[in-house]
Amino acid sequence: MLSIIWQQIIVLGSICVLFVCIYKEWVRPSLGFLLTVLSFVALDILTPEEMISGFSNQSIGSVVLLILISAALRKNFQIEAVIESIYKLGRKNLVLSYRSFLLRMMIQVAIFSSFINNTPIVAIMTPYVFNWGKRHNVSPSKLLIPLSYATIMGGMLTVIGTSTTLVLTGFMMDYEIGFLNTVDLLCIGGAVCLTGILMISTVGYRLLPDHKNILESFSKNKREYLVETVLDNNSPMRGKTIVEAGLRSLKGVYLVEIIRANDTLSPVEPTEKIEQADVLIFAGDTENIVELLSNGRGLILPKPADTRNEDKVNVIEAVVGTNSSLVGRTPKEMEFRKRYDAAIVAIHRNGERLSGKIGNIQLSQGDLLLLYAGKHFKDRVDLYRDIFIVSQVKEFLRPNRKKVTSFLIVALSAIAMVVFGYFTLFVSLLIIFTIMIALKMISIQDIKNEIDLNMVSILVFSLALGQAMVKTGSGDLLADGILDLTQDSGPLVILASLLVITTLLTSFITNVGAISITFPLAYAISNSLGVDGMPFYLGIAYAASAAFLTPIGYQTNLIVYGPGGYTFRDFLKIGLPVSIVYLLTVLFMIRWLYADMF
């Protein structure tokens, strides 16, 4: 049996190693937490029962139910259709200036994000915002970062707006310390949205990049893709030179290279003759790539990627998500076509000229994919959750009024029971969820698609990690260290230090990971001070969502990273002042709401 001192050293050291491994992307966050907790079991720091106790925890069940209920609301109330109708109306207003559109867009998406998870909001809104910029001669890079930031801020208005507050609520329930104060959450969130949106729309927009090179070439080359094609058996281009085949003056598309056996011809000389077995690699925009394949030249997709025999084929764009299982793997090795019922026609990666066969290119987070999608594609996307659709045209159904009315009556009754103390939150949510199933507002397939096993596993093993910190006194040790450094400055400086630590964590690992690491610390600090812990819990909730500094800190940033043509420097330039304003607003509001403590 290890001594307490060694246990503390191992626990704190393991957390540091966990952070580095997640930051360096050496392991997936869920696997990192699992391995860390397993090591604690192997060293008798935790028992096997303590390790898996989270799977039977009501708080985690409540978080999962909240996520499923939120998804069912999104599905049945058709928020996407509302957004679409708003922006169709917006298209008629041709005199709307850039700053006016920026302000209106940020306010609207912040409101939507308060009751719908902000990730799908960004995925839905990206094409609309992108196209508005195209029509009004505004670079997408001046619009898409504000879109992402506004959804992050809006998600902090309510408990269900983002996974950060849902996970924190689960921790608080597990530690039996109540719930996040929803009124305080709304007050702080409202102030954060107000100051953040005003800052960006009045001053901060000047710090946004203006990638004119993307915009100026937009009409000719909306987005440079890599497209792999081969000749069909009847292609009229066989034996002709590049010039004779008409491949030197294509509209919006140009020939990048020819792959012949084991050789790569690049650049391609005008006098080079085309052979039957050649693989021709083109670069060009979405519309012209599709035209290239249907202009009578006999160019087709390689057979494994040919989807022309499907009942229904859609040409769409999608972006590879953060922590996606596609990252670092080639389409060929993971059988992308079979897995998604879609063929990768082209790949765009900002700042890097792609070369070679598409099937052999290792995918990276933020890659934009041009896909020929079959009829099962959408279901596969929902199942695997590795990519986000950013340019799919979607039809919306009107919600069933009778079904919605019945649900609202039951839901409001269940919520009232919680308020008056007749039911626990878990029981109330279970009742609401059961009614949703009975009314067919959510299906078994929806449940499978919506449950993020990575997040659930992080939550479960984070609880075990927190138990290890409490059991060994590691949390108290770390808290005492922070208190020793800041004790002469008062609780406000301690809170500020905690916010900075959490913000740095969330900038490089997931918000769930950040909140999982800092919650036990906030809990220990509040106990050491002998004060109400709510200000600290509210503080780390907002700090864990302050993912403005890097594109990898939050999923919404990564969705806009490729379409906006951004670099890490772009996010840091605008993200740093936004983070400062954001955190100062949070500190001010917490100090104002809890004046007796500060």
Side-chain angles (χ1 to χ4, degrees), residues 103 106-107 110-111 149-150 153-154 157 186-202 542 581-582 585 588-589:
L103 179 62
M106 293 184 72
I107 291 173
I111 293 172
Y149 286 4
M153 296 172 190
L157 285 165
L186 183 61
C187 290
I188 300 171
V192 162
C193 285
L194 179 63
T195 56
I197 291 174
L198 286 178
M199 182 265 181
I200 293 173
S201 61
T202 58
Y542 280 94
V581 171
Y582 178 96
T585 302
F588 174 81
M589 290 301 298

Side-chain angles (χ1 to χ4, degrees), residues 96 106 119 132 139 182 234 262 279 283 323 343 354 365 388 390 417 426 450 452 563 586 596:
L96 194 64
M106 293 184 72
T119 300
W132 187 94
S139 173
T182 54
N234 300 316
N262 295 323
V279 176
N323 298 320
L354 300 179
Q365 58 182 10
F388 290 94
V390 295
M417 293 297 181
F426 176 77
E450 292 295 336
D452 187 344
V586 171
D596 293 342

Side-chain angles (χ1 to χ4, degrees), residues 493-507 539 543 549 583 587:
V493 174
I494 296 173
L495 175 61
S497 302
L498 195 58
L499 295 188
V500 171
I501 292 171
T502 309
T503 300
L504 292 175
L505 284 172
T506 203
S507 296
L549 295 173
L583 294 177
L587 275 175

Side-chain angles (χ1 to χ4, degrees), residues 14-174:
S14 297
I15 292 174
C16 292
V17 171
L18 174 64
F19 169 70
V20 172
C21 289
I22 294 175
Y23 168 60
K24 292 288 188 179
E25 298 182 0
W26 291 337
V27 296
R28 295 171 67 91
S30 54
L31 178 61
F33 277 92
L34 170 60
L35 293 175
T36 302
V37 174
L38 276 175
S39 69
F40 292 165
V41 174
L43 295 170
D44 288 329
I45 295 174
L46 288 176
T47 65
E49 291 77 14
E50 289 172 330
M51 173 184 169
I52 63 173
S53 62
F55 286 107
S56 61
N57 191 284
Q58 280 196 24
S59 63
I60 294 178
S62 298
V63 172
V64 173
L65 287 172
L66 279 169
I67 292 172
L68 293 175
I69 291 170
S70 176
L73 290 175
R74 184 175 73 248
K75 176 182 176 181
N76 290 274
F77 283 84
Q78 300 298 337
I79 301 301
E80 294 95 334
V82 176
I83 295 173
E84 185 182 37
S85 64
I86 289 173
Y87 279 85
K88 277 186 176 178
L89 291 174
R91 293 174 189 175
K92 298 176 182 179
N93 188 357
L94 299 179
V95 298
L96 194 64
S97 69
Y98 159 66
R99 288 177 61 189
S100 297
F101 174 81
L102 187 66
L103 179 62
R104 189 189 69 159
M105 179 268 292
M106 293 184 72
I107 291 173
Q108 288 173 341
V109 297
I111 293 172
F112 281 122
S113 296
S114 67
F115 55 91
I116 292 194
N117 190 277
N118 43 26
T119 300
I121 291 292
V122 173
I124 293 165
M125 288 298 303
T126 296
Y128 292 107
V129 174
F130 193 97
N131 288 331
W132 187 94
K134 168 193 167 185
R135 289 190 304 272
H136 294 82
N137 198 36
V138 176
S139 173
S141 62
K142 301 287 287 184
L143 296 167
L144 293 179
I145 280 180
L147 168 64
S148 177
Y149 286 4
T151 58
I152 292 173
M153 296 172 190
M156 292 304 299
L157 285 165
T158 63
V159 173
I160 64 173
T162 178
S163 57
T164 306
T165 47
L166 291 175
V167 170
L168 181 58
T169 299
F171 284 142
M172 294 177 67
M173 292 172 63
D174 185 65

Side-chain angles (χ1 to χ4, degrees), residues 179-453:
F179 308 97
L180 283 174
N181 190 311
T182 54
V183 175
D184 290 352
L185 202 65
L186 183 61
C187 290
I188 300 171
V192 162
C193 285
L194 179 63
T195 56
I197 291 174
L198 286 178
M199 182 265 181
I200 293 173
S201 61
T202 58
V203 179
Y205 74 93
R206 300 177 187 275
L207 300 174
L208 291 167
D210 189 7
H211 295 313
K212 291 295 185 182
N213 58 317
I214 294 177
L215 185 61
E216 290 170 357
S217 61
F218 200 80
S219 60
K220 295 181 181 179
N221 192 16
K222 289 182 183 177
R223 201 171 287 135
E224 188 179 273
Y225 283 96
L226 187 69
V227 189
E228 178 182 335
T229 64
V230 296
L231 303 182
D232 65 21
N233 293 330
N234 300 316
S235 174
M237 296 194 300
R238 283 186 301 170
K240 292 184 178 180
T241 66
I242 300 301
V243 173
E244 291 171 344
L247 299 181
R248 294 292 291 179
S249 56
L250 297 172
K251 179 184 176 182
V253 180
Y254 65 94
L255 182 62
V256 177
E257 62 190 15
I258 294 177
I259 299 176
R260 181 174 296 162
N262 295 323
D263 296 327
T264 298
L265 308 179
S266 179
V268 183
E269 297 296 332
T271 56
E272 186 68 44
K273 287 188 177 182
I274 301 172
E275 299 179 6
Q276 177 63 46
D278 285 349
V279 176
L280 281 65
I281 308 295
F282 291 89
D285 67 66
T286 304
E287 295 174 0
N288 292 317
I289 284 171
V290 176
E291 182 181 345
L292 177 70
L293 298 173
S294 57
N295 63 3
R297 289 189 173 91
L299 285 172
I300 60 174
L301 300 174
K303 286 184 179 179
D306 193 345
T307 63
R308 292 181 298 170
N309 294 325
E310 295 287 348
D311 294 335
K312 184 179 180 181
V313 173
N314 295 313
V315 179
I316 64 173
E317 292 173 304
V319 63
V320 178
T322 185
N323 298 320
S324 168
S325 64
L326 306 182
V327 175
R329 304 174 68 186
T330 67
K332 182 179 180 179
E333 70 178 275
M334 64 174 306
E335 298 183 314
F336 187 95
R337 170 67 177 84
K338 182 179 179 180
R339 175 172 175 155
Y340 285 99
D341 188 29
I344 301 178
V345 182
I347 302 174
H348 165 70
R349 184 174 299 161
N350 180 56
E352 182 178 341
R353 175 67 63 86
L354 300 179
S355 179
K357 291 187 177 182
I358 289 176
N360 297 327
I361 294 175
Q362 285 193 346
L363 299 176
S364 297
Q365 58 182 10
D367 278 357
L368 277 164
L369 311 178
L370 179 66
L371 305 171
Y372 271 11
K375 59 184 179 180
H376 302 298
F377 172 71
K378 182 62 169 63
D379 292 335
R380 305 286 177 83
V381 170
D382 289 339
L383 175 63
Y384 293 112
R385 295 178 173 273
D386 282 323
I387 59 178
F388 290 94
I389 299 169
V390 295
S391 66
Q392 184 184 43
V393 178
K394 195 175 180 181
E395 294 182 0
F396 302 101
L397 301 175
R398 293 184 178 182
N400 186 310
R401 290 186 178 180
K402 183 177 180 180
K403 182 188 296 186
V404 171
T405 302
S406 301
F407 165 73
L408 288 175
I409 292 172
V410 174
L412 291 174
S413 300
I415 292 171
M417 293 297 181
V418 174
V419 173
F420 291 106
Y422 292 102
F423 292 152
T424 63
L425 177 63
F426 176 77
V427 172
S428 178
L429 293 174
L430 194 58
I431 292 172
I432 294 173
F433 181 65
T434 303
I435 295 300
M436 281 184 158
I437 294 177
L439 293 174
K440 297 182 178 179
M441 298 178 73
I442 188 169
S443 65
I444 299 299
Q445 187 61 46
D446 291 330
I447 295 173
K448 292 179 181 178
N449 293 342
E450 292 295 336
I451 293 180
D452 187 344
L453 294 179

